[in-house]
Amino acid sequence: MASKPSIPKGTRDFSPAEVAKRHYIIQIIKSNFEKFGFQPIETPSFENSETLMGKYGEEGDRLIFKILNSGDYLAKANATHLENKDSTKLTASISEKALRYDLTVPFARYVVQHQNDIEFPFKRYQIQPVWRADRPQKGRFREFFQCDADVVGSTSLWQEVELVQLYDTVFSALGLEGVTIKINNRKVLSGIAEVIGASDKLIDFTVTLDKLDKIGEDGVKKEMMEKGISAEAILKVQPLFNFTGTISEKISQLSVLLAESQEGMKGVAELRFICDNVTKLGLGNSILDLDVTLARGLNYYTGAIFEVAPPKSVAMGSIGGGGRYDDLTGIFGLKNMSGVGISFGLDRIYLVIEELNLFPQTVTATSKALFINYGEAEAFYGLQAIQKLRAAGIKVELYPDNAKVAKQFQHADKRGIPFAVIVGDQEMVSNTYSLKNLITGDQLSLDFESLKQNLLKS
């Protein structure tokens, strides 16, 4: 007995309607990337393992999908590691390639490899799938698309200002209101850790602080103490637990808190420049907010950090993120190449738009009209019109079989095709077409030009 077909956890099949909606989002993101001057590139689905490993921290390394070597992958396996069942050390000898975990590190590799052919500053965008061996849950998949835009070769903070505007432009075009673009700065986090005397525990401090909205103030303090951060140090960051007000007011509070930290004050200055200019230029439907608990990507972000939250009415994780990295290409030997970039989470954005019912009715993968097949002569007459309609950019098709008319109309209904074109003896003699609206039941007798105009405007 044949086994029931299935797909791996964390992956999905997409129906024609779902693909059409995904393409709608991608097209809006892509068109705005290009409006802002970004150029497309593509990189392979898999990279050499050494390109990816060690770039995302210990947790990230565990989530990278490794690809077994071709053929007898155990032939070159380290016998000692195999005998000791040391999977961590064994992996290096049986897997030389891995599926890409994100688009940022492959982009850094691309820049270094093609540096002599690139004009800097280089603005690139990339829309491709990535893979992570994560625990699947709502809005989190093992295979998903990232839509990235990065600029390398410029330290100018105007890039951050434009990236905030890019986020806002895309989400406004998608009809999303109340999206919050959260911003922080790695230098601010380093400054806070320095001021409280916990620089050696920067990662522990920031990762725990990042949980404030999940476990609350008491939970954060308890976890910090468990990680060896003193009660005196925690008392010094008390203002962060009640960090409210406008962006300007928050920056002023940070200036007081970080007055003794040179690194921290650099971060404050960068935040002030970005936020002041975004505020002066204005945003459409989005909100810019300073979130001092934001601590994503600490392994490579060095300046601004971004994370985008959906409208508060939707229970969903972040739908975008990014930041400034001053030396990401340094991991591949190209020093002093600063960059900054953002990413859009296509799959989560899709779920948010679906939940808020914001997809336009016109977003569909189906045909505009189905030509009913009454026989060979009628089908040929219909195909002549179909050929011209397609040339005009109208999606139409002929029912292939000379089946019962009721079955053909039923097919159109199930496909969600809004119109049927009826071509019988009478239409062929008068050189016309009968256009039937399958929603209202209305029917019109039209010449070809009128048929085309009706389908174009409907």
Side-chain angles (χ1 to χ4, degrees), residues 98-171:
L99 292 178
R100 61 171 173 244
Y101 175 88
D102 73 353
L103 299 178
T104 306
V105 170
F107 172 52
R109 189 267 309 152
Y110 175 95
V111 170
V112 174
Q113 196 169 340
H114 301 276
Q115 58 186 287
N116 295 327
D117 306 315
I118 293 172
E119 171 61 28
F120 294 103
F122 180 45
K123 300 176 75 170
R124 88 80 167 87
Y125 77 83
Q126 206 169 338
I127 301 175
Q128 289 186 277
V130 299
W131 294 266
R132 295 182 186 179
D134 215 342
R135 184 172 66 85
Q137 52 186 288
K138 182 182 178 182
R140 183 174 300 223
F141 307 100
R142 288 176 172 168
E143 178 185 59
F144 57 97
F145 266 73
Q146 282 189 338
C147 310
D148 285 13
D150 288 78
V151 188
V152 290
S154 171
T155 58
S156 171
L157 294 175
W158 289 115
Q159 306 290 3
E160 278 86 338
V161 172
E162 281 218 285
L163 289 174
V164 172
Q165 289 183 307
L166 175 56
Y167 263 142
D168 176 58
T169 303
V170 168
F171 290 123

Side-chain angles (χ1 to χ4, degrees), residues 56-73:
Y56 306 101
E58 190 176 330
E59 177 65 17
D61 282 354
R62 285 200 297 269
L63 298 181
I64 291 174
F65 276 108
K66 287 80 175 177
I67 301 173
L68 290 174
N69 293 338
S70 302
D72 183 4
Y73 60 87

